[in-house]
Amino acid sequence: MYYIHITFFMDVYYPAEDTLLLLDNLKCGNYVLEVGTGSGYIAIECAKRGSRVVAVDIDEDAINYAKKRAEEEGVSIIFKKSNLFEKVNGTFDTIIFNPPYLPGDSKNIKDLQWAGGGDFGDEIVMKFLEEAYSHLKKNGEIYIILSSHNRIPLIKSLPYKFTRIASLKLAFHEIYVCQLKKA
């Protein structure tokens, strides 16, 4: 069980049930990348577990907030402003992504915290998974949140071994923690 101590800061995505479900069901490898870090909560927890962590987000406010939190927690994390893998180099044992998985179109960067994945909420997920393959080590793992709104069969058609490891029913959909490995 994890306890959240976060002070509200601007419009940064705060840990909610999806973040906690993801954190409760992932294994942080030696070298971790968190895409869409938001508040930095998961990146910080992986760093506390001894992982070397790189955390990226498209939102400069999120990066600044996460850096501040990491300093307060006494952990070292490399933070970069990046749209998915745009500024990411290298390969990782673990890649983590809590994407905007709800249907809808984003009007600005802040909307991407919640939605912006198109008609089925999975357009950003698909782009992420296409790019993630080349950044994942041979025996690496991706942990991602998906929604029952997403086109799961389409996502499963990508070159990964796909395992649903946890789920949570919410008011209007269900979310899943999925682990993906190179097929």
Side-chain angles (χ1 to χ4, degrees):
M1 176 61 99
Y2 298 94
Y3 296 94
I4 300 171
H5 173 70
I6 291 190
T7 307
F8 287 95
F9 175 80
M10 306 206 58
D11 292 319
V12 175
Y13 185 78
Y14 302 103
E17 59 275 338
D18 53 358
T19 305
L20 298 177
L21 185 68
L22 184 55
L23 189 57
D24 282 342
N25 289 282
L26 67 82
K27 296 175 192 160
C28 300
N30 291 327
Y31 196 32
V32 172
L33 170 66
E34 184 185 16
V35 175
T37 195
S39 68
Y41 191 75
I42 290 177
I44 291 167
E45 288 299 320
C46 285
K48 285 180 178 180
R49 296 178 188 179
S51 300
R52 291 180 305 151
V53 180
V54 175
V56 301
D57 202 291
I58 194 171
D59 184 355
E60 188 74 35
D61 291 336
I63 291 297
N64 291 334
Y65 180 76
K67 278 182 186 177
K68 183 177 184 231
R69 286 219 48 251
E71 288 172 11
E72 290 170 358
E73 295 289 333
V75 295
S76 177
I77 297 171
I78 297 169
F79 289 100
K80 295 181 182 184
K81 181 180 178 194
S82 181
N83 184 358
L84 298 176
F85 294 91
E86 179 181 70
K87 302 270 172 74
V88 174
N89 298 312
T91 58
F92 299 84
D93 300 302
T94 307
I95 301 175
I96 304 162
F97 190 34
N98 185 357
Y101 51 74
L102 293 175
D105 294 318
S106 60
K107 294 174 181 53
N108 58 53
I109 286 177
K110 301 300 182 189
D111 287 349
L112 290 173
Q113 297 174 22
W114 308 101
D119 291 341
F120 301 97
D122 56 18
E123 288 178 13
I124 293 171
V125 169
M126 294 298 291
K127 184 174 181 186
F128 164 82
L129 290 173
E130 289 166 4
E131 294 178 19
Y133 196 88
S134 64
H135 292 279
L136 187 63
K137 290 186 178 179
K138 181 180 177 184
N139 295 315
E141 300 171 326
I142 295 172
Y143 292 92
I144 188 168
I145 292 279
L146 298 176
S147 164
S148 55
H149 292 295
N150 303 152
R151 296 171 291 183
I152 303 296
L154 179 62
I155 294 167
K156 284 184 169 183
S157 72
L158 296 173
Y160 293 100
K161 179 184 173 208
F162 181 100
T163 306
R164 185 183 307 171
I165 56 175
S167 63
L168 178 66
K169 289 187 184 217
L170 300 171
F172 60 96
H173 71 125
E174 189 170 4
I175 58 173
Y176 317 110
V177 175
C178 298
Q179 176 195 62
L180 288 73
K181 297 181 179 185
K182 288 184 174 183

